[in-house]
Amino acid sequence: MLDLAVTTRAETFERMADPLAARDIAVGHVDTSERAVSLTDDPFDDYDVGFVYPSRIMEGGVADALLDVPWVNDREAILRSRNKADVLARLGRAGVPVPETVMVSNPAGESELVAAFEQVGPPVVVKPNSTTRGVGVTTARDLDSFLGVADYLDLVHDYRATGDRSFLVQEYLPDARDYRAMVVDGEYVGAVERRLPTAARERGRWKHNVHRGAEAEGVDLSGELRELAERTAEVLDVPYLGVDLLATEDRAVVNETNARPTIDSATKYEDGFWDDLARLIRATCDRSRTA
């Protein structure tokens, strides 16, 4: 039996425990945040491998040092995926289609902001460079509104302890279908389409994040979209990756990626999903032992 350390107690932990136990992988929880952790008396049990590096990088460093295990997605994979601008730059350079996007490194002068807005063209999506779950993402339909959003970001970023001060100005694709494709060890293993309920759309809601009220339904993606998701994981070199795709009638783009994706109900994935995930976990452990 292989012992797997998982640093979340959310849906993913609950959904993976039984399927992986049936494949001789015992799932255990490692609590790394919102607690006091002794640095001299190891508070953690022994594990063979970690699922994905903890979300809080500073606390993750402590857990990494004390656990001393290989991670399915290591620190570099988490940092790379979390940096939205880095992801889009790497993908665009590799020929993977992405939305028209400009990164603004705050503080930036008004002329730079105007140029960014005009390059993308209204309406634009404004999003922090390193948040998740749609936090802080908004739209601006005219230049004054956009400059007002930038003013608010300046106020927030005036706090010296703020880390990432950059934000993205991105084209808005209002009619695009929103998919989360899952890739395990380079292979597409399933996808969901995220849709807002009709009532939410009628109230003007537009974000398709599940944590914002959208519903995730299993879908059978086209071969083109499957290849796009696999190509994304290859370019970023992330073994376990959620790839967010926006698809309109005439194009498809990679919008974001998530190296700590939630596992939805297994009925939404291809047959063999849990076998593929178990193989990746074992391969991660084996590579560490032979290194």
Side-chain angles (χ1 to χ4, degrees):
M1 181 75 76
L2 202 65
D3 289 310
L4 176 70
V6 180
T7 61
T8 177
R9 285 301 293 249
E11 298 94 337
T12 292
F13 180 87
E14 302 298 334
R15 289 170 178 157
M16 70 193 315
D18 289 341
L20 290 182
R23 291 160 177 82
D24 294 324
I25 298 175
V27 176
H29 179 233
V30 175
D31 191 0
T32 63
S33 62
E34 298 183 9
R35 59 169 294 193
V37 178
S38 172
L39 303 184
T40 52
D41 296 321
D42 191 345
F44 303 129
D45 295 329
D46 292 331
Y47 291 93
D48 301 299
V49 58
F51 185 48
V52 292
Y53 197 88
S55 59
R56 293 190 179 185
I57 299 302
M58 294 302 180
E59 289 92 328
V62 171
D64 191 24
L66 295 178
L67 288 171
D68 192 25
V69 296
W71 299 89
V72 168
N73 282 353
D74 61 14
R75 180 178 183 274
E76 292 305 313
I78 301 302
L79 287 174
R80 187 177 306 126
S81 176
R82 184 173 295 176
N83 185 339
K84 295 178 174 62
D86 183 356
V87 165
L88 295 175
R90 289 175 186 268
L91 295 178
R93 184 177 179 83
V96 176
V98 297
E100 176 76 20
T101 306
V102 175
M103 181 188 75
V104 176
S105 178
N106 248 1
E110 182 170 311
S111 62
E112 293 286 340
L113 294 171
V114 171
F117 181 83
E118 292 178 344
Q119 177 176 334
V120 175
V124 299
V125 176
V126 182
K127 61 174 64 173
N129 189 37
S130 57
T131 59
T132 61
R133 301 183 176 184
V135 174
V137 179
T138 189
T139 56
R141 298 183 177 277
D142 56 72
L143 180 58
D144 281 340
S145 297
F146 171 68
L147 293 176
V149 172
D151 286 341
Y152 277 113
L153 290 172
D154 276 340
L155 291 175
V156 173
H157 292 157
D158 191 52
Y159 178 48
R160 288 180 298 171
T162 301
D164 181 8
R165 302 187 180 200
S166 59
F167 62 92
L168 305 184
V169 184
Q170 195 169 73
E171 68 174 303
Y172 180 47
L173 301 174
D175 299 321
R177 301 178 80 95
D178 187 309
Y179 301 108
R180 161 64 62 82
M182 296 284 281
V183 180
V184 174
D185 203 17
E187 298 291 332
Y188 167 86
V189 294
V192 295
E193 180 176 358
R194 298 176 293 196
R195 301 175 183 170
L196 281 171
T198 301
R201 294 197 301 272
E202 290 176 346
R203 292 196 300 269
R205 303 288 297 275
W206 59 276
K207 296 181 184 179
H208 292 275
N209 305 81
V210 172
H211 294 90
R212 296 282 177 167
E215 299 169 349
E217 300 180 5
V219 292
D220 185 20
L221 286 189
S222 67
E224 178 185 358
L225 293 180
R226 294 180 182 212
E227 291 174 5
L228 186 54
E230 291 177 348
R231 176 64 175 147
T232 298
E234 178 187 13
V235 170
L236 299 180
D237 191 25
V238 179
Y240 170 69
L241 188 65
V243 181
D244 293 347
L245 305 169
L246 296 178
T248 65
E249 290 185 359
D250 58 357
R251 61 191 285 228
V253 297
V254 177
N255 188 41
E256 295 182 11
T257 63
N258 190 334
R260 293 180 53 87
T262 298
I263 294 179
D264 287 290
S265 170
T267 58
K268 298 176 182 176
Y269 299 120
E270 303 281 289
D271 292 338
F273 167 75
W274 291 111
D275 292 327
D276 292 336
L277 187 58
R279 275 194 294 271
L280 175 59
I281 293 168
R282 292 189 179 281
T284 301
C285 187
D286 290 342
R287 283 195 292 269
S288 174
R289 289 171 177 171
T290 58

